[in-house]
């Protein structure tokens, strides 16, 4: 008995169509928001009937914070297209973006010991 063979998923031709991506992004000369792959995005509103389907998908996905890289992966769209869509949503205040929270370095051990000794003396 042969083991089942796995087949690769074929890319949807509609998703890789350059003309479709151009239509989604609109004006290529427009200024884009300063977003990078780790910028966190959260939606502020429900999708309205007037937004593009891709923007509606972003608003539904981002009910909980997601990074731009995750949005790009979930929608199977290039980063540049996603940043263009996010720029429009930011301009209309339907989403909010922020840099990821950087973990603070641990405080110095001697400082913690000094605080602990001070509290014990109280």
């Amino acid at each position: 008995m042969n083991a089942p063979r796995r087949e690769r998923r074929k890319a949807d031709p509609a998703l890789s169509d350059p003309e479709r991506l151009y239509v989604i992004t609109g004006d290529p000369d427009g200024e884009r928001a300063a977003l990078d792959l780790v910028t966190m995005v959260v939606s502020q509103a429900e999708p309205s009937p007037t937004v593009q389907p891709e923007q509606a998908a972003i608003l539904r996905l981002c009910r909980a914070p997601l990074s731009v890289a995750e949005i790009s992966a979930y929608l199977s769209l290039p980063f540049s297209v996603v940043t263009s869509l996010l720029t429009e949503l930011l301009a209309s205040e339907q989403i909010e973006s922020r840099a990821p929270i950087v973990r603070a370095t641990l405080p110095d051990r001697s400082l913690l010991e000094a605080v602990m000794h001070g509290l014990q003396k109280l």
Side-chain angles (χ1 to χ4, degrees):
M1 180 182 244
N2 292 338
R5 293 186 71 184
R6 293 186 181 203
E7 293 183 28
R8 289 187 178 263
R9 288 188 294 169
K10 294 182 181 172
D12 185 3
L15 292 177
S16 61
D17 182 18
E19 292 171 1
R20 178 181 172 273
L21 296 178
Y22 179 79
V23 170
I24 291 173
T25 57
D27 182 20
D29 297 330
E31 199 168 312
R32 293 190 182 172
L35 301 169
D36 59 6
L37 290 172
V38 293
T39 301
M40 300 301 288
V41 176
V42 66
S43 62
Q44 299 294 315
E46 290 295 318
S48 68
T50 59
V51 297
Q52 296 179 21
E54 292 81 8
Q55 290 176 328
I58 289 171
L59 290 171
R60 284 190 297 273
L61 277 172
C62 294
R63 287 183 182 132
L66 283 178
S67 70
V68 176
E70 290 173 311
I71 297 168
S72 178
Y74 285 136
L75 297 179
S76 300
L77 291 172
F79 172 74
S80 59
V81 173
V82 172
T83 56
S84 177
L85 294 170
L86 291 174
T87 299
E88 292 176 21
L89 290 171
L90 279 168
S92 63
E93 296 181 351
Q94 294 182 16
I95 62 169
E96 186 178 291
S97 68
R98 65 171 172 78
I101 298 172
V102 180
R103 268 190 145 167
T105 58
L106 293 174
D108 186 31
R109 183 179 175 99
S110 60
L111 175 66
L112 291 175
E113 288 175 354
V115 170
M116 184 178 71
H117 291 301
L119 290 173
Q120 287 173 346
K121 290 181 182 180
L122 291 175

